Amino acid sequence: MEDIHLAAVILKIFLRELPEPLLTYQLYNDIVNLASASPRYLITFLAQVSANSEVNKMTNSNLAVVFGPNLLWGRGNAIGPNFTRTLLDQHHLVFT
């Protein structure tokens, strides 16, 4: 794929148009209280993207802003970006 930004935009639009967040309402409390979890491939992928942030400019913070609101949202509550940033910052601890 020649335009990696296009792939990111398509993924973001897909996630945004889901009727429920990818990490569903039913899982919301469990996720907020996350103590340990099995590896989540999307977070691992985003961590790999962030590892190349010198080239692609997609730091954990930037990825959290772009994907966080589309991965997790509560009813009337916007913790997605903060939660996503924490997951990306600590993915090596959370998913080991």
Side-chain angles (χ1 to χ4, degrees), residues 31-62:
I31 291 168
V32 170
N33 298 315
L34 184 65
S36 64
S38 60
R40 304 251 190 275
Y41 295 107
L42 182 58
I43 296 301
T44 301
F45 169 73
L46 293 177
Q48 291 173 348
V49 170
S50 179
N52 293 299
S53 64
E54 288 184 22
V55 175
N56 63 28
K57 308 297 185 216
M58 293 307 290
T59 62
N60 285 347
S61 215
N62 291 342

Side-chain angles (χ1 to χ4, degrees), residues 42 75 89:
L42 182 58
R75 292 183 173 98
D89 287 345

Side-chain angles (χ1 to χ4, degrees), residues 13-90:
I13 290 170
F14 170 77
L15 293 170
R16 185 183 312 142
E17 292 183 358
L18 291 173
E20 221 179 321
L22 189 61
L23 305 173
T24 65
Y25 294 128
Q26 183 179 358
L27 297 174
Y28 183 83
N29 288 331
D30 293 333
I31 291 168
V32 170
N33 298 315
L34 184 65
S36 64
S38 60
R40 304 251 190 275
Y41 295 107
L42 182 58
I43 296 301
T44 301
F45 169 73
L46 293 177
Q48 291 173 348
V49 170
S50 179
N52 293 299
S53 64
E54 288 184 22
V55 175
N56 63 28
K57 308 297 185 216
M58 293 307 290
T59 62
N60 285 347
S61 215
N62 291 342
L63 289 166
V65 167
V66 172
F67 290 102
N70 301 306
L71 294 178
L72 175 70
W73 64 85
R75 292 183 173 98
N77 191 340
I79 75 159
N82 293 331
F83 179 77
T84 302
R85 169 75 190 270
T86 300
L87 269 183
L88 289 170
D89 287 345
Q90 305 298 324

